[in-house]
Amino acid sequence: MKAKKEEEIFADYASRKNLKHSGRRDAILKIFLKSEKHLTVDELFQLARKASPGIGYATIYRTLKHFCASGLCREFKCEDGFTRYEHLYGHEHHDHLICTQCGKFVEVVHPSIEKLQAQIAEREGFILTKHKLELYGVCKNCRKK
Amino acid sequence: MKAKKEEEIFADYASRKNLKHSGRRDAILKIFLKSEKHLTVDELFQLARKASPGIGYATIYRTLKHFCASGLCREFKCEDGFTRYEHLYGHEHHDHLICTQCGKFVEVVHPSIEKLQAQIAEREGFILTKHKLELYGVCKNCRKK
DNA sequence: CTCATATTGAAAATGATTATCAATTTCAAA
DNA sequence: TTTGAAATTGATAATCATTTTCAATATGAG
């Protein structure tokens, strides 16, 4: 029951933060959890508007901040200028392979790269806190077209 | 004569693009070439203002666009939200190791990582066009403090 | 039920960047 | 040297994504 677990994570956060109950927020959470894509703010807004007509843009932003703070998701500033939000729960650390034609996101994991990064950092006397690796290219599907 | 060479690169571009001569631009170029740092727009603006009082912010932006188009430099959108400009000429492809305390930039090259990236992309059926690898951490100096 | 506090949408504010515009400068050709 | 088309410039307005403000409303503990 992954979805259940994610809802619990947010419920815990909400009670920790003394958030009050809100239908809007529930709707946004449901939509976010249902989508496995890396949604942009606007995509989420469009979907939320269907479920909760009259919802404002600011509410999406505010709610996403909460989701991030709760550990449910993470902001991902993409090269195309749009910020996307990706699920964190149940997703081990990964990097991204992104198709510049269709926008497909592939989450990739490669322990050897992580190891090499640590080596580089050590060689230069750094202690690594985080890294960002994005591979941009064209996927098989888009090449056929 | 690296500096000479860089000036030539820009001169070629300028003549190709029918740019007219400009004292402002010369000053900005000189400042940019003299600095080996990854300057932000504002840092460059502050420096340029000393050399050319009265210079406007827009001129910095416009000139940097030209520098990029000429192949002299490259925009680097940093995690801290500031766009920096780095020298391209004489700098082979590299990734960045960045100190989150003092902002120190180290250019790192690691062929094995490049190879692994190509492997990952191939495994997923992608043809790589570019990549972005940034390592964030704390440098030796900052750890001492 | 009550009241402090969280939530909301609309609209204003922000901050980085770009576009506009009228004034000025450059430079090739006359 | 003069001329005039085209480039350059600074100031300012416009964008665009995101944040903040604010007054109105909703929530929920006591």
Side-chain angles (χ1 to χ4, degrees):
Chain A
M1 291 303 109
K2 201 172 88 180
K4 179 72 178 308
K5 197 66 178 258
E6 287 175 313
E7 274 147 19
E8 267 168 29
I9 289 174
F10 190 71
D12 287 353
Y13 167 85
S15 101
R16 219 161 47 236
K17 289 282 185 175
N18 293 115
L19 302 190
K20 292 185 175 168
H21 185 264
S22 141
R24 299 291 205 218
R25 194 152 53 206
D26 287 351
I28 299 173
L29 180 56
K30 206 151 141 192
I31 291 164
F32 175 72
L33 294 182
K34 197 159 54 185
S35 162
E36 271 299 321
K37 278 188 58 189
H38 289 63
L39 291 171
T40 62
V41 177
D42 195 64
E43 285 167 343
L44 194 51
F45 174 66
Q46 299 304 338
L47 292 170
R49 207 160 52 155
K50 280 180 200 149
S52 284
I55 197 171
Y57 228 98
T59 299
I60 306 292
Y61 275 106
R62 284 187 283 234
T63 304
L64 281 170
K65 290 276 171 249
H66 279 311
F67 290 176
C68 287
S70 77
L72 263 194
C73 74
R74 194 163 69 89
E75 272 192 8
F76 180 86
K77 286 175 194 280
C78 202
E79 282 284 283
D80 62 11
F82 294 103
T83 299
R84 286 155 215 274
Y85 291 81
E86 64 172 349
H87 291 223
L88 263 189
Y89 179 75
H91 292 238
E92 62 181 323
H93 165 75
H94 59 267
D95 298 311
H96 293 104
L97 181 55
I98 302 161
C99 176
T100 51
Q101 304 279 305
C102 68
K104 183 180 177 188
F105 271 67
V106 179
E107 298 182 353
V108 296
V109 183
H110 210 308
S112 329
I113 285 195
E114 309 283 322
K115 242 177 261 165
L116 285 171
Q117 286 173 3
Q119 271 176 31
I120 290 173
E122 196 185 345
R123 187 177 74 194
E124 302 287 344
F126 275 63
I127 287 185
L128 271 194
T129 51
K130 68 170 176 172
H131 74 264
K132 181 169 190 165
L133 172 60
E134 291 152 32
L135 305 175
Y136 292 90
V138 183
C139 74
K140 202 183 280 177
N141 250 330
C142 288
R143 279 211 305 291
K144 287 181 190 156
K145 289 165 194 167
Chain B
M1 295 295 112
K2 200 171 89 177
K4 179 71 179 307
K5 197 65 179 260
E6 289 176 309
E7 273 147 17
E8 268 168 29
I9 289 175
F10 190 72
D12 286 354
Y13 167 86
S15 101
R16 217 159 50 233
K17 290 281 185 173
N18 294 325
L19 301 190
K20 293 187 173 166
H21 186 264
S22 140
R24 300 291 204 217
R25 195 154 50 207
D26 286 351
I28 298 173
L29 180 57
K30 205 150 139 195
I31 291 164
F32 174 73
L33 294 182
K34 197 160 54 186
S35 163
E36 270 299 322
K37 279 188 57 189
H38 290 63
L39 291 171
T40 62
V41 177
D42 195 62
E43 285 167 344
L44 193 52
F45 174 66
Q46 299 304 338
L47 292 170
R49 207 160 52 155
K50 280 180 200 148
S52 284
I55 196 170
Y57 227 98
T59 300
I60 307 291
Y61 276 105
R62 284 187 284 236
T63 305
L64 281 170
K65 291 274 171 249
H66 279 312
F67 289 176
C68 288
S70 77
L72 261 194
C73 73
R74 194 162 69 89
E75 271 191 3
F76 180 85
K77 286 177 194 281
C78 203
E79 283 284 282
D80 63 11
F82 295 104
T83 300
R84 286 154 215 275
Y85 291 81
E86 65 172 349
H87 292 221
L88 263 191
Y89 179 74
H91 293 238
E92 63 181 322
H93 165 75
H94 60 268
D95 299 311
H96 293 103
L97 182 54
I98 303 161
C99 177
T100 50
Q101 304 278 304
C102 68
K104 183 181 178 189
F105 271 67
V106 180
E107 298 181 353
V108 295
V109 184
H110 210 306
S112 329
I113 285 195
E114 310 281 322
K115 243 177 258 163
L116 285 173
Q117 286 172 3
Q119 271 175 32
I120 290 173
E122 196 184 345
R123 186 177 74 194
E124 303 287 343
F126 275 62
I127 287 185
L128 271 193
T129 51
K130 69 170 176 174
H131 75 263
K132 181 168 191 165
L133 171 60
E134 291 153 32
L135 305 175
Y136 292 91
V138 183
C139 74
K140 202 183 281 177
N141 252 328
C142 288
R143 277 211 306 291
K144 285 181 192 157
K145 291 167 194 166

